Amino acid sequence: MKVRATQAIMECLLEQEVDTVFGYPGGTILNLYDELYNYQDRIHHILTAHEQGAAHAADGYARSTGKVGVCFATSGPGATNLVTGIATAYMDSSPIVFITCNVTEQTLGKDAFQEVDITGIAMPITKATYLVRDAQTIPDVMRQAFAVAATGRPGPVLIDFLKNVTFPSVEIDYEFVPWSRNRSCSSIQSLATSHELKAPEPNKGDIETLVEMIAQSKRPLLICGGGVVRGRAHRQFREFAEKLDAPVAITVMGGGGFPGGHPLTTGMIGMHGSQASNVACNECDLLIAVGCRFSDRVALQPETFASQAKVVQIDIDRSEIDKNVLTDHHIIGSARRVLEMLNAKLPQYSHPEWKEQVLPLRVPSVAETGDKLTPKQVLETIRRLAPQDTIVATDVGQHQMWSIQHFHFDYPGQLLTSGGFGTMGFGLGAAIGAKLGNPDKVVVHTTGDGCFRMNCHELATVEHYHLPIITVVFNNGTLGMVRQWQNLIYHQRYSETTLDRGPDFVKLAEAYGLKGFRVTSMAEMEAAFQEALTAGRGCVIDCRLDMDEMVRPMVAGGAHITDFLLK
């Protein structure tokens, strides 16, 4: 039947079972927003304070729910304000469809007002980009975009509609195709035929080879990477680890892929990895990395990484194999499917001597003395008082590492953090998306005073939509991680890292109509967090910490994984 082009866009969103969209309107996308007005009872639009906040919110929604996030923005600066959010999603394989509108065909390429080649800009940081010049292609483009974003290795996709395509007078032929039947559409089938949408079926011979390698190993170590989380393969990974009876190191992006409190967990691996994880990596005879790309924060010195081990990489993306660390064996396929095939063939193993060598190295809980509030006290208070399934969204820096070290993440989507791109300002937007996608769960946003300045305007969004998000600011008056490097590596030359300036975060919270607390002791922290849990509205807790608190352990970039600067 004939429908308006903009109506077809909305119907395609409903096809994909989209009920929440994050965005910010502007001139070129007004036709789309005018159509959205007709769908406000079926598609809930969240107006953020800034397009970057909308991008991070769509990202947090996607990561925490496992669905595809959706984000709208207008042309020019609206579209370019998405770029950091797009790159963040791309580096961490988060499925989002970004929808922008551009100038008309008649003015395209003539430096029209707010014109920018956003498809060209976004091409290196997306799985695909589409510039829609012909309205008749809208259904195919929309269906392809969602399929590409969600399948294989997930990631962001951008669709840019020329404004004339969205004119109210433009009509196209359209038939509603429910999501359950989307895969049978000709456009999707053509993509699938070219293997762009299919996760490769693991090679049975490769599975058998790894089964034999496991049988010969005396000191196996597993790495739980982001692919376990993205692929929702946590149950299969846990079965695999328990069958191998092997220690498990967890990457930053792997948080929630394996229970943080499990007896086999050795903690984080890499630059700020635990002594147990890093030593186990150095001394194991078989290293099996699942959904891990061996970034420079994990394999700090690739040529010596796991030098005593046979290295096995399991990944859905063939381009990641041997990119950073040369492997002795690899298996291409989704984490879930590979693990299912391995679990079906593995007997029960036992490695008591190896575990006894590694597991005692996990850092024990040390009682802290003195009057100063410490990061550990803050996080242990949150962990003790908050429900076990609380979602934690972090920004980037010291507080991020402390949060990952001290929380036990038990399921995919419980930890939301920018691991690959390291985006300061990610956390509050991500927390907004997570709360909207998981209204029954407590959402805590941990941030530093430097990071919070980059996204605090989204407190307006928190207040307007009545989101009871608890923001905990690790306020040490400095760009803490950068200062830590300056302290340890740059001979205490503190160049432009001291944040001796406003705002007063308690007054800022109150200015946005939220509750603010300032805490300087563990008792004050406990009281503030307890009140925040029952406040029924957004709260900001300003935790005053010592400027020279450091993240421990630490290995310098490019150093051997057991060459600790700090323990």
Side-chain angles (χ1 to χ4, degrees), residues 219-224 234 236-250 257-269 274 276-278 280-281 348-362 408 410:
R219 303 187 307 279
L221 174 69
L222 302 183
I223 296 181
C224 178
H234 50 298
Q236 292 80 2
F237 186 92
R238 179 170 182 164
E239 180 183 348
F240 183 55
E242 291 175 348
K243 276 195 168 186
L244 261 63
D245 193 37
V248 177
I250 304 174
F258 188 70
H262 194 283
L264 292 173
T265 300
T266 58
M268 188 163 39
I269 185 171
S274 69
S277 290
N278 287 11
C281 179
Q348 181 64 53
Y349 286 93
S350 178
H351 297 100
E353 294 180 3
W354 170 231
K355 290 192 300 181
E356 183 59 32
Q357 180 180 339
V358 170
L359 297 181
L361 296 176
R362 292 180 292 194
H408 289 164
D410 296 325

Side-chain angles (χ1 to χ4, degrees), residues 144 147-149 151-152 183 188-189 191-192 194-199:
Q144 282 190 23
V148 170
T151 53
R183 295 297 174 86
I188 305 303
Q189 283 298 304
L191 274 181
S194 65
H195 301 288
E196 291 182 42
L197 297 186
K198 291 182 177 178

Side-chain angles (χ1 to χ4, degrees), residues 428-473:
L428 187 51
I432 289 168
K435 186 61 184 178
L436 286 160
N438 304 267
D440 297 331
K441 291 184 178 178
V442 171
V443 176
V444 174
H445 164 222
T446 63
T447 185
D449 47 322
C451 287
F452 194 40
R453 286 181 176 87
M454 295 189 178
N455 63 18
C456 59
H457 46 266
E458 294 301 341
L459 290 176
T461 312
V462 171
E463 189 280 330
H464 179 77
Y465 293 100
H466 309 293
L467 303 175
I469 294 167
I470 304 172
T471 290
V472 180
V473 185

Side-chain angles (χ1 to χ4, degrees), residues 18 21 24 108 122 217 224-226 249 251 303 327 361 433 444 459 462 472 502 538 543:
V18 172
V21 170
Y24 204 96
L108 190 68
S217 171
C224 178
T251 69
E303 60 274 16
T327 61
L361 296 176
V444 174
L459 290 176
V462 171
V472 180
C543 303

Side-chain angles (χ1 to χ4, degrees), residues 506-551:
V506 173
K507 290 182 178 178
L508 181 69
E510 292 170 351
Y512 280 106
L514 305 177
K515 179 67 175 177
F517 305 86
R518 181 170 294 109
V519 301
T520 59
S521 69
M522 191 170 179
E524 290 176 351
M525 175 63 200
E526 183 169 338
F529 192 77
Q530 190 70 65
E531 185 175 342
L533 282 171
T534 59
R537 58 173 169 159
C539 294
V540 175
I541 304 176
D542 179 11
C543 303
R544 294 304 179 97
L545 305 175
D546 187 87
M547 183 177 282
D548 288 312
E549 285 282 358
M550 293 197 192
V551 179

